[in-house]
Amino acid sequence: MIPAGAGAIGATVVLGVGNPIMGDDGVGLALLDALREARGGGTSDAESGGVRVEYVDGGTGGMSLLPLVEEADRLLVLDAVAGPVPGTVVHLAGDQVPRMLSTKLSPHQVGLLDVFAAARLLGREPSIVEVIGVVPESVDLRLGLSPAVAAAVPEAVRWAERLLDQWLPAGLGAQSHDG
């Protein structure tokens, strides 16, 4: 946790990943859109008081996301996360993140694992990486989220907002999205 009122801090990146034509695999992008709207909407990049928050649609970008990961001081990944009960909201931090990415729920997660490994080799990895996700019901070829996963989006967004509020200096969490 970043103490309130801390000095200048680096970029905070919120990265939504997933493929919206693969059913619940698109939940990361749905979370990104809902979080961005909840935080003041519309802007993909904002600066306020030396704090920059970027909201990035990573899609299934794989290694093209490396520069973004290298630049981030704190990285919040929004994604589908494997688990037994569809619609369950999951928060992962520390060593849990690489384990989640190695479960190969979808091809983009393997790409993210490679991105984090490359950033580590280059000595420019985020100081904090955490994941907020939702357990999918189906990652088959289809548009839209299943009812269980769609119903979990508001709760997952609240978790992500609480995390951002902890990371950002007091009073900047909500303002950082006003552009």
Side-chain angles (χ1 to χ4, degrees), residues 56-176:
V56 180
D57 178 341
T60 56
M63 288 303 284
S64 68
L65 300 174
L66 181 58
L68 178 78
V69 170
E70 289 179 305
E71 178 184 310
D73 184 47
R74 290 167 309 280
L75 178 65
L76 172 58
V77 178
L78 306 173
D79 198 0
V81 177
V85 181
T88 302
V89 177
V90 177
H91 174 217
L92 303 171
D95 291 343
Q96 296 172 319
V97 175
R99 280 187 275 151
M100 180 276 288
L101 293 174
S102 66
T103 60
K104 299 181 183 179
L105 177 65
S106 63
H108 67 266
Q109 289 179 329
V110 175
L112 275 179
L113 191 59
D114 292 338
V115 168
F116 291 138
R120 176 169 285 173
L121 285 172
L122 295 169
R124 295 188 300 236
E125 61 185 321
S127 60
I128 301 172
V129 178
E130 298 194 28
V131 175
I132 300 288
V134 178
V135 175
E137 182 174 304
S138 171
V139 289
D140 297 328
L141 182 62
R142 68 175 169 77
L143 290 173
L145 302 175
S146 66
V149 171
V153 168
E155 180 183 352
V157 167
R158 285 191 296 273
W159 285 33
E161 284 195 285
R162 283 194 299 267
L163 186 59
L164 288 175
D165 288 342
Q166 290 175 357
W167 287 357
L168 299 174
L172 293 178
Q175 296 172 3
S176 65

